[in-house]
Structures are given as C-alpha cells and as structure tokens.
Amino acid sequence: MTQNQQHASGASRQPMRVGVYVDGYNVYYGARDCCGRSTSGWRWLDVRALIENAITYQGQWNNAVIDRVVYCTARVDAATNPSAHADQDVYLKALLSTGAVDYIEYGNYVTRTKTGLLAVDGKDATGKHKAEVVTSKWPVVVRDSAGQPVRDARFMVKYLHFEEKGSDVNVASHLLLDVLTGSIDAAVVVSNDSDLAFPLRVARDRVPVATINPRGERPTAGSLQGQKSDGVGNHWWWKIKDKAYRRHQLPEPAGKYTKPAGW
C-alpha cells in the first residue's frame, strides 16, 4: 500500500498523529461573531475538546489522535487595557494547565494611531453590514468662513488602533516544520486568514489537512479552499458554529484558575 493509499483509507495500524495549529485571535473574533460580543459562555474555550469533536464528527480520519495543539496568539498590552490583559493571562494559564493546548507561541500586540473618516455602522439595501461615513448635520454642523453651512462635510479623526502581529506566520511556521520533519501524519489548521494559503497548499502535498473556519457565519476564504483529493488527499473543511463554542468550555474552575467575570 502506498503512502497516499494509507492516507486515503486511514488503514495504517499506527495511530494517525494529528498536529493542531490555532490562530488565537482569529478564533476569538470568530467566536465573537458567532456568539455575540456582549454575551457570555464562549470565551473560556477548551481548544482541544473542540477540535477532537470536529475530528470525530467529521469522521474521515480513522484512528486519529491529537499529538500536539499549538496555540498562536499575542498578549494584550497591559498599559492600554489592563483588565483584558489580566483576563487573557488567566485564560492562557488555564489552557496550559488543563492540557487544552500543549504550546503557546507568542507574536506581538501593537498599538498605534491611525487617521480615517468618522463612520458608523449601517446596512445596505439587502440588510448586510455597511459602514456609513458621518457627514455634517445637526447637532454637529460645519460652517464656512461666511457662516454658511457646508453640506456633506466629512470629519477626519485620529484613533487608537490595536493590532495583533505574527500569529499567521507562527501558525505557518509550526505547521510546515512539523510536516516537513515528519512529526505528524495529519494537520488541523484553525484560521480563516487567507495569508495561510501557500503553507496549506504545501502541507496538503504531504499530509491530510483539515482547514477549520472559526467564523462559522462567514464563508471560508477562497484561497483556503481546495479539493479533498489535492496532494495526498483525504483533506476536509469545517466551520465552527456558536453551539460548538458554547458546548466546549474549560471546567470551572480550571484547576486553580477561575473564569473571569462575564466570560
């Protein structure tokens, strides 16, 4: 039996060693989209349990065993948002202490100012989200030097911007390192970041790959899609919905770590 046939049939006598590579911020915002920002019950996520359930429910990989869960994230800036920093710190420690992840790879959390047009949330004719630029109207009216109203004047604002850097690169690096060294027999990548298109294509040439979209209410990025038969074959795609997030939560407490209030 060829290696490709073993991958396709899942008939290898040895367990299929699965490496899981998670973009933490992509998962956080995906869960927030699915479950609602102001709701509780989804942030205390048990990553390993969630992925184990996906593998079992999908049912394509026989004898699959998660060998490692690599969680890629960045620490929230403590000076800018001390409360979020403290909550995140508790969660990351709980993940490691419970074995929900095996290793955390840190990127950088960058704060900077940006300039842009003042806008509010709105909807288009079909009901889909659309940003609407704020223009001059009562109670804030712009007048010219002659005291006449300037219709449709727009406002430029400078605002504080928070950005996580490095998680996508770290996901790709760990994925390819483990695939190319033969440390795993299959991979699960949890992200909907189109920047991962190339490393996913390379990985699919060598091992079966599951691509899991954490933003289950949104389409999987086109560049992350493919065919089950690509490369060695036996690939699959999945979306995480709100019920799955809520169903797979860490115990409370998780060892000596207590879930933050509101989570």
Side-chain angles (χ1 to χ4, degrees), residues 1-201:
M1 179 181 288
T2 67
Q3 182 182 29
N4 285 14
Q5 288 171 328
Q6 288 179 346
H7 282 313
S9 67
S12 175
R13 294 181 180 179
Q14 297 298 321
M16 174 186 273
R17 301 167 301 164
V18 179
V20 179
Y21 310 90
V22 182
D23 183 334
Y25 271 87
N26 211 267
V27 169
Y28 171 80
Y29 287 110
R32 195 176 76 174
D33 281 354
C34 292
C35 301
R37 181 173 187 169
S38 61
T39 65
S40 61
W42 55 268
R43 294 173 177 83
W44 198 236
L45 183 66
D46 186 333
V47 177
R48 183 181 295 270
L50 178 70
I51 303 307
E52 285 178 340
N53 178 76
I55 293 172
T56 300
Y57 192 85
Q58 204 281 335
Q60 190 164 306
W61 293 348
N62 296 327
N63 209 24
V65 176
I66 293 180
D67 182 78
R68 66 197 65 183
V69 179
V70 179
Y71 189 83
C72 300
T73 188
R75 287 192 178 274
V76 175
D77 182 60
T80 305
N81 195 338
S83 175
H85 173 84
D87 289 351
Q88 182 196 42
D89 185 64
V90 170
Y91 177 58
L92 295 176
K93 290 176 178 176
L95 285 176
L96 288 171
S97 70
T98 59
V101 305
D102 298 295
Y103 182 76
I104 298 178
E105 186 70 62
Y106 290 101
N108 299 309
Y109 194 75
V110 179
T111 58
R112 62 185 67 177
T113 58
K114 287 190 173 184
T115 302
L117 290 169
L118 182 64
V120 296
D121 291 328
K123 293 183 179 180
D124 62 18
T126 65
K128 293 183 179 180
H129 176 268
K130 176 184 178 182
E132 296 180 353
V133 175
V134 175
T135 57
S136 172
K137 58 184 178 181
W138 186 259
V140 180
V141 178
V142 177
R143 296 182 182 275
D144 61 20
S145 58
Q148 298 301 312
V150 179
R151 294 186 177 182
D152 298 327
R154 298 184 295 177
F155 304 92
M156 296 296 295
V157 297
K158 186 177 287 292
Y159 60 95
L160 185 62
H161 178 71
F162 305 95
E163 187 174 3
E164 175 275 329
K165 304 288 287 185
S167 287
D168 54 351
V169 175
N170 290 334
V171 166
S173 298
H174 278 279
L175 168 67
L176 292 181
L177 179 64
D178 288 348
V179 167
L180 296 175
T181 58
S183 300
I184 58 171
D185 304 311
V188 175
V189 175
V190 190
S191 178
N192 198 34
D193 189 338
S194 59
D195 289 343
L196 293 173
F198 175 73
L200 280 170
R201 286 199 302 271

